[in-house]
Amino acid sequence: MGSTAYARLAALSAAVLLAGCAKERPFLWVNSISLPAEPDPADYRIAKGDVLSVRVWNQESMSASKVRVRDDGNISIPFLQDVEVAGMTPSELASRIGVKLKAYVVNPVVTVVVEDRRPLRVSVLGEVTRAGVYDLERDGGVLHALAAAGGLTPFARRDRIYVLRHGYWADGSPEPARIRFRWVDLAGGAGNASAFRLRSGDVVLVE
């Protein structure tokens, strides 16, 4: 069996497992759910893989340009070495670094800028041309994920497109939510189907 065929078989097997896990919960039509408001950029939380610039006013030797957040959630900057940054807003991180730098400079003025955000990484499984894991733009939706996977196969059921999302239920259930879409709504570009935004870790499943 070739590597491409094996990858597709593995992806389809994963789809069956994920679908089985979600059976304990009924699906939700995307038009029946409330979509969150557009996030304020100031509330953005730094994530692993982001690229940051840290500037200390009038202190070039303490500044750092385009440093990537490592898998351990830290960055390395002059004088302080490793600093934990994942999960913080840029302003919170600037304050933290400012406090730490007071040991070296009086009243440091620190700014943190997110130069590049990590890509949105989702899995696309089932009746698509190229099942797999894809990196999308941060505001990507279901249609973007399907396009990255080469579109639907002739056997796809166009009213059975799902997003499987963990951490959705308010009661803390580990079971993923199954949010259901129809191709006609996605292609029409209106309503919740078009406005729905994917998150890293989501699975788009086409039956």
mmCIF file of all heavy atoms in Angstrom, residues 109-141:
data_model
loop_
_atom_site.group_PDB
_atom_site.id
_atom_site.type_symbol
_atom_site.label_atom_id
_atom_site.label_comp_id
_atom_site.label_asym_id
_atom_site.label_seq_id
_atom_site.Cartn_x
_atom_site.Cartn_y
_atom_site.Cartn_z
ATOM 1 N N VAL A 109 10.339 50.784 30.119
ATOM 2 C CA VAL A 109 9.112 50.898 29.329
ATOM 3 C C VAL A 109 9.162 49.813 28.254
ATOM 4 O O VAL A 109 10.011 49.848 27.357
ATOM 5 C CB VAL A 109 8.982 52.289 28.680
ATOM 6 C CG1 VAL A 109 7.713 52.351 27.827
ATOM 7 C CG2 VAL A 109 8.965 53.374 29.753
ATOM 8 N N VAL A 110 8.257 48.848 28.356
ATOM 9 C CA VAL A 110 8.309 47.662 27.496
ATOM 10 C C VAL A 110 7.053 47.602 26.630
ATOM 11 O O VAL A 110 5.940 47.841 27.111
ATOM 12 C CB VAL A 110 8.412 46.376 28.346
ATOM 13 C CG1 VAL A 110 8.485 45.145 27.447
ATOM 14 C CG2 VAL A 110 9.612 46.440 29.276
ATOM 15 N N THR A 111 7.240 47.282 25.379
ATOM 16 C CA THR A 111 6.116 46.998 24.484
ATOM 17 C C THR A 111 6.323 45.630 23.852
ATOM 18 O O THR A 111 7.456 45.247 23.534
ATOM 19 C CB THR A 111 5.976 48.060 23.374
ATOM 20 O OG1 THR A 111 7.192 48.132 22.634
ATOM 21 C CG2 THR A 111 5.662 49.416 23.972
ATOM 22 N N VAL A 112 5.235 44.902 23.683
ATOM 23 C CA VAL A 112 5.269 43.581 23.056
ATOM 24 C C VAL A 112 4.303 43.592 21.869
ATOM 25 O O VAL A 112 3.144 43.991 22.009
ATOM 26 C CB VAL A 112 4.865 42.483 24.050
ATOM 27 C CG1 VAL A 112 4.776 41.122 23.348
ATOM 28 C CG2 VAL A 112 5.849 42.416 25.209
ATOM 29 N N VAL A 113 4.799 43.159 20.732
ATOM 30 C CA VAL A 113 3.987 43.103 19.520
ATOM 31 C C VAL A 113 3.988 41.672 18.996
ATOM 32 O O VAL A 113 5.048 41.037 18.922
ATOM 33 C CB VAL A 113 4.533 44.063 18.439
ATOM 34 C CG1 VAL A 113 3.750 43.905 17.132
ATOM 35 C CG2 VAL A 113 4.490 45.502 18.931
ATOM 36 N N VAL A 114 2.806 41.173 18.635
ATOM 37 C CA VAL A 114 2.716 39.860 17.990
ATOM 38 C C VAL A 114 2.942 40.077 16.500
ATOM 39 O O VAL A 114 2.084 40.600 15.793
ATOM 40 C CB VAL A 114 1.352 39.196 18.243
ATOM 41 C CG1 VAL A 114 1.293 37.824 17.561
ATOM 42 C CG2 VAL A 114 1.095 39.043 19.740
ATOM 43 N N GLU A 115 4.116 39.691 16.025
ATOM 44 C CA GLU A 115 4.482 39.904 14.627
ATOM 45 C C GLU A 115 3.796 38.891 13.700
ATOM 46 O O GLU A 115 3.435 39.219 12.566
ATOM 47 C CB GLU A 115 6.004 39.801 14.453
ATOM 48 C CG GLU A 115 6.803 40.805 15.259
ATOM 49 C CD GLU A 115 6.789 42.186 14.634
ATOM 50 O OE1 GLU A 115 6.183 42.349 13.553
ATOM 51 O OE2 GLU A 115 7.383 43.098 15.230
ATOM 52 N N ASP A 116 3.639 37.686 14.180
ATOM 53 C CA ASP A 116 3.064 36.635 13.331
ATOM 54 C C ASP A 116 2.397 35.605 14.229
ATOM 55 O O ASP A 116 3.024 35.101 15.169
ATOM 56 C CB ASP A 116 4.155 35.976 12.475
ATOM 57 C CG ASP A 116 3.579 35.021 11.440
ATOM 58 O OD1 ASP A 116 2.403 35.189 11.083
ATOM 59 O OD2 ASP A 116 4.307 34.125 10.992
ATOM 60 N N ARG A 117 1.138 35.322 13.966
ATOM 61 C CA ARG A 117 0.418 34.340 14.757
ATOM 62 C C ARG A 117 0.592 32.947 14.171
ATOM 63 O O ARG A 117 0.724 32.790 12.963
ATOM 64 C CB ARG A 117 -1.075 34.680 14.814
ATOM 65 C CG ARG A 117 -1.374 36.018 15.488
ATOM 66 C CD ARG A 117 -2.870 36.225 15.586
ATOM 67 N NE ARG A 117 -3.188 37.532 16.152
ATOM 68 C CZ ARG A 117 -4.424 37.945 16.422
ATOM 69 N NH1 ARG A 117 -5.446 37.135 16.157
ATOM 70 N NH2 ARG A 117 -4.634 39.136 16.935
ATOM 71 N N ARG A 118 0.571 31.961 15.043
ATOM 72 C CA ARG A 118 0.661 30.581 14.573
ATOM 73 C C ARG A 118 -0.529 30.297 13.653
ATOM 74 O O ARG A 118 -1.615 30.869 13.822
ATOM 75 C CB ARG A 118 0.643 29.611 15.742
ATOM 76 C CG ARG A 118 -0.674 29.616 16.505
ATOM 77 C CD ARG A 118 -0.728 28.539 17.553
ATOM 78 N NE ARG A 118 -1.998 28.599 18.274
ATOM 79 C CZ ARG A 118 -2.383 27.714 19.166
ATOM 80 N NH1 ARG A 118 -1.611 26.701 19.467
ATOM 81 N NH2 ARG A 118 -3.544 27.837 19.780
ATOM 82 N N PRO A 119 -0.354 29.430 12.687
ATOM 83 C CA PRO A 119 -1.476 29.120 11.795
ATOM 84 C C PRO A 119 -2.564 28.344 12.521
ATOM 85 O O PRO A 119 -2.337 27.736 13.563
ATOM 86 C CB PRO A 119 -0.828 28.273 10.695
ATOM 87 C CG PRO A 119 0.367 27.663 11.348
ATOM 88 C CD PRO A 119 0.867 28.688 12.323
ATOM 89 N N LEU A 120 -3.753 28.405 11.954
ATOM 90 C CA LEU A 120 -4.879 27.628 12.438
ATOM 91 C C LEU A 120 -4.737 26.219 11.882
ATOM 92 O O LEU A 120 -4.702 26.024 10.665
ATOM 93 C CB LEU A 120 -6.174 28.277 11.940
ATOM 94 C CG LEU A 120 -7.473 27.530 12.140
ATOM 95 C CD1 LEU A 120 -7.807 27.435 13.620
ATOM 96 C CD2 LEU A 120 -8.593 28.231 11.392
ATOM 97 N N ARG A 121 -4.631 25.222 12.740
ATOM 98 C CA ARG A 121 -4.392 23.847 12.299
ATOM 99 C C ARG A 121 -5.616 22.983 12.585
ATOM 100 O O ARG A 121 -6.038 22.844 13.732
ATOM 101 C CB ARG A 121 -3.162 23.274 12.993
ATOM 102 C CG ARG A 121 -2.828 21.837 12.598
ATOM 103 C CD ARG A 121 -1.403 21.507 12.951
ATOM 104 N NE ARG A 121 -0.474 22.252 12.119
ATOM 105 C CZ ARG A 121 0.859 22.169 12.223
ATOM 106 N NH1 ARG A 121 1.403 21.367 13.114
ATOM 107 N NH2 ARG A 121 1.640 22.888 11.432
ATOM 108 N N VAL A 122 -6.192 22.422 11.518
ATOM 109 C CA VAL A 122 -7.389 21.592 11.651
ATOM 110 C C VAL A 122 -7.207 20.308 10.843
ATOM 111 O O VAL A 122 -6.399 20.251 9.909
ATOM 112 C CB VAL A 122 -8.656 22.334 11.173
ATOM 113 C CG1 VAL A 122 -8.892 23.600 11.977
ATOM 114 C CG2 VAL A 122 -8.568 22.656 9.681
ATOM 115 N N SER A 123 -7.975 19.282 11.200
ATOM 116 C CA SER A 123 -8.015 18.036 10.444
ATOM 117 C C SER A 123 -9.267 18.026 9.573
ATOM 118 O O SER A 123 -10.335 18.482 9.999
ATOM 119 C CB SER A 123 -8.051 16.833 11.387
ATOM 120 O OG SER A 123 -6.885 16.782 12.190
ATOM 121 N N VAL A 124 -9.124 17.525 8.355
ATOM 122 C CA VAL A 124 -10.259 17.385 7.441
ATOM 123 C C VAL A 124 -10.321 15.918 7.039
ATOM 124 O O VAL A 124 -9.357 15.390 6.455
ATOM 125 C CB VAL A 124 -10.112 18.292 6.204
ATOM 126 C CG1 VAL A 124 -11.399 18.254 5.379
ATOM 127 C CG2 VAL A 124 -9.784 19.733 6.603
ATOM 128 N N LEU A 125 -11.430 15.262 7.348
ATOM 129 C CA LEU A 125 -11.544 13.814 7.181
ATOM 130 C C LEU A 125 -12.818 13.434 6.436
ATOM 131 O O LEU A 125 -13.730 14.238 6.267
ATOM 132 C CB LEU A 125 -11.557 13.139 8.564
ATOM 133 C CG LEU A 125 -10.401 13.461 9.519
ATOM 134 C CD1 LEU A 125 -10.658 12.819 10.867
ATOM 135 C CD2 LEU A 125 -9.082 13.000 8.945
ATOM 136 N N GLY A 126 -12.851 12.192 5.993
ATOM 137 C CA GLY A 126 -14.050 11.666 5.365
ATOM 138 C C GLY A 126 -14.033 11.832 3.858
ATOM 139 O O GLY A 126 -12.989 11.679 3.207
ATOM 140 N N GLU A 127 -15.182 12.186 3.286
ATOM 141 C CA GLU A 127 -15.350 12.236 1.836
ATOM 142 C C GLU A 127 -14.844 13.546 1.244
ATOM 143 O O GLU A 127 -15.596 14.374 0.716
ATOM 144 C CB GLU A 127 -16.811 12.000 1.479
ATOM 145 C CG GLU A 127 -17.293 10.593 1.750
ATOM 146 C CD GLU A 127 -16.585 9.549 0.891
ATOM 147 O OE1 GLU A 127 -16.020 9.911 -0.159
ATOM 148 O OE2 GLU A 127 -16.588 8.356 1.268
ATOM 149 N N VAL A 128 -13.523 13.737 1.342
ATOM 150 C CA VAL A 128 -12.845 14.857 0.699
ATOM 151 C C VAL A 128 -11.717 14.289 -0.157
ATOM 152 O O VAL A 128 -11.293 13.145 0.033
ATOM 153 C CB VAL A 128 -12.285 15.869 1.726
ATOM 154 C CG1 VAL A 128 -13.409 16.587 2.439
ATOM 155 C CG2 VAL A 128 -11.360 15.176 2.737
ATOM 156 N N THR A 129 -11.231 15.086 -1.073
ATOM 157 C CA THR A 129 -10.234 14.588 -2.018
ATOM 158 C C THR A 129 -8.927 14.211 -1.338
ATOM 159 O O THR A 129 -8.325 13.182 -1.642
ATOM 160 C CB THR A 129 -9.974 15.640 -3.108
ATOM 161 O OG1 THR A 129 -11.216 15.955 -3.749
ATOM 162 C CG2 THR A 129 -8.992 15.120 -4.156
ATOM 163 N N ARG A 130 -8.469 15.054 -0.411
ATOM 164 C CA ARG A 130 -7.186 14.799 0.263
ATOM 165 C C ARG A 130 -7.376 14.976 1.770
ATOM 166 O O ARG A 130 -7.173 16.076 2.307
ATOM 167 C CB ARG A 130 -6.109 15.764 -0.253
ATOM 168 C CG ARG A 130 -5.784 15.611 -1.726
ATOM 169 C CD ARG A 130 -4.638 16.542 -2.129
ATOM 170 N NE ARG A 130 -4.959 17.944 -1.859
ATOM 171 C CZ ARG A 130 -5.609 18.738 -2.702
ATOM 172 N NH1 ARG A 130 -6.016 18.280 -3.874
ATOM 173 N NH2 ARG A 130 -5.849 20.000 -2.391
ATOM 174 N N ALA A 131 -7.770 13.912 2.444
ATOM 175 C CA ALA A 131 -7.916 13.986 3.901
ATOM 176 C C ALA A 131 -6.557 14.232 4.536
ATOM 177 O O ALA A 131 -5.531 13.736 4.076
ATOM 178 C CB ALA A 131 -8.517 12.688 4.426
ATOM 179 N N GLY A 132 -6.533 15.038 5.607
ATOM 180 C CA GLY A 132 -5.262 15.305 6.280
ATOM 181 C C GLY A 132 -5.378 16.461 7.249
ATOM 182 O O GLY A 132 -6.480 16.911 7.592
ATOM 183 N N VAL A 133 -4.237 16.937 7.689
ATOM 184 C CA VAL A 133 -4.152 18.062 8.615
ATOM 185 C C VAL A 133 -3.664 19.273 7.831
ATOM 186 O O VAL A 133 -2.673 19.187 7.098
ATOM 187 C CB VAL A 133 -3.189 17.761 9.779
ATOM 188 C CG1 VAL A 133 -3.101 18.944 10.731
ATOM 189 C CG2 VAL A 133 -3.650 16.505 10.529
ATOM 190 N N TYR A 134 -4.344 20.413 8.005
ATOM 191 C CA TYR A 134 -4.048 21.595 7.204
ATOM 192 C C TYR A 134 -3.888 22.824 8.083
ATOM 193 O O TYR A 134 -4.573 22.979 9.092
ATOM 194 C CB TYR A 134 -5.161 21.839 6.172
ATOM 195 C CG TYR A 134 -5.233 20.743 5.134
ATOM 196 C CD1 TYR A 134 -6.108 19.661 5.303
ATOM 197 C CD2 TYR A 134 -4.419 20.763 4.018
ATOM 198 C CE1 TYR A 134 -6.159 18.640 4.370
ATOM 199 C CE2 TYR A 134 -4.462 19.745 3.078
ATOM 200 C CZ TYR A 134 -5.329 18.688 3.256
ATOM 201 O OH TYR A 134 -5.365 17.685 2.332
ATOM 202 N N ASP A 135 -2.973 23.700 7.653
ATOM 203 C CA ASP A 135 -2.793 25.001 8.283
ATOM 204 C C ASP A 135 -3.562 26.042 7.476
ATOM 205 O O ASP A 135 -3.353 26.189 6.266
ATOM 206 C CB ASP A 135 -1.310 25.389 8.331
ATOM 207 C CG ASP A 135 -0.528 24.554 9.336
ATOM 208 O OD1 ASP A 135 -1.163 23.965 10.228
ATOM 209 O OD2 ASP A 135 0.711 24.506 9.231
ATOM 210 N N LEU A 136 -4.451 26.778 8.155
ATOM 211 C CA LEU A 136 -5.281 27.784 7.516
ATOM 212 C C LEU A 136 -4.975 29.153 8.101
ATOM 213 O O LEU A 136 -4.326 29.279 9.144
ATOM 214 C CB LEU A 136 -6.764 27.475 7.734
ATOM 215 C CG LEU A 136 -7.249 26.063 7.377
ATOM 216 C CD1 LEU A 136 -8.727 25.934 7.746
ATOM 217 C CD2 LEU A 136 -7.026 25.755 5.913
ATOM 218 N N GLU A 137 -5.463 30.195 7.446
ATOM 219 C CA GLU A 137 -5.389 31.533 8.014
ATOM 220 C C GLU A 137 -6.211 31.577 9.295
ATOM 221 O O GLU A 137 -7.165 30.811 9.477
ATOM 222 C CB GLU A 137 -5.918 32.567 7.023
ATOM 223 C CG GLU A 137 -5.093 32.686 5.745
ATOM 224 C CD GLU A 137 -3.681 33.218 6.004
ATOM 225 O OE1 GLU A 137 -3.521 34.007 6.951
ATOM 226 O OE2 GLU A 137 -2.764 32.825 5.267
ATOM 227 N N ARG A 138 -5.879 32.502 10.183
ATOM 228 C CA ARG A 138 -6.487 32.521 11.507
ATOM 229 C C ARG A 138 -8.000 32.679 11.484
ATOM 230 O O ARG A 138 -8.688 32.245 12.394
ATOM 231 C CB ARG A 138 -5.877 33.663 12.338
ATOM 232 C CG ARG A 138 -4.431 33.462 12.727
ATOM 233 C CD ARG A 138 -4.206 32.251 13.577
ATOM 234 N NE ARG A 138 -5.013 32.222 14.782
ATOM 235 C CZ ARG A 138 -5.033 31.215 15.646
ATOM 236 N NH1 ARG A 138 -4.311 30.141 15.422
ATOM 237 N NH2 ARG A 138 -5.768 31.267 16.720
ATOM 238 N N ASP A 139 -8.549 33.328 10.465
ATOM 239 C CA ASP A 139 -9.999 33.527 10.418
ATOM 240 C C ASP A 139 -10.672 32.517 9.505
ATOM 241 O O ASP A 139 -11.773 32.747 9.008
ATOM 242 C CB ASP A 139 -10.332 34.951 9.979
ATOM 243 C CG ASP A 139 -9.808 35.262 8.572
ATOM 244 O OD1 ASP A 139 -8.999 34.467 8.052
ATOM 245 O OD2 ASP A 139 -10.212 36.300 8.005
ATOM 246 N N GLY A 140 -10.040 31.365 9.278
ATOM 247 C CA GLY A 140 -10.570 30.369 8.353
ATOM 248 C C GLY A 140 -11.867 29.737 8.836
ATOM 249 O O GLY A 140 -12.084 29.534 10.029
ATOM 250 N N GLY A 141 -12.727 29.431 7.872
ATOM 251 C CA GLY A 141 -13.982 28.758 8.167
ATOM 252 C C GLY A 141 -14.012 27.380 7.541
ATOM 253 O O GLY A 141 -13.016 26.880 7.000
#
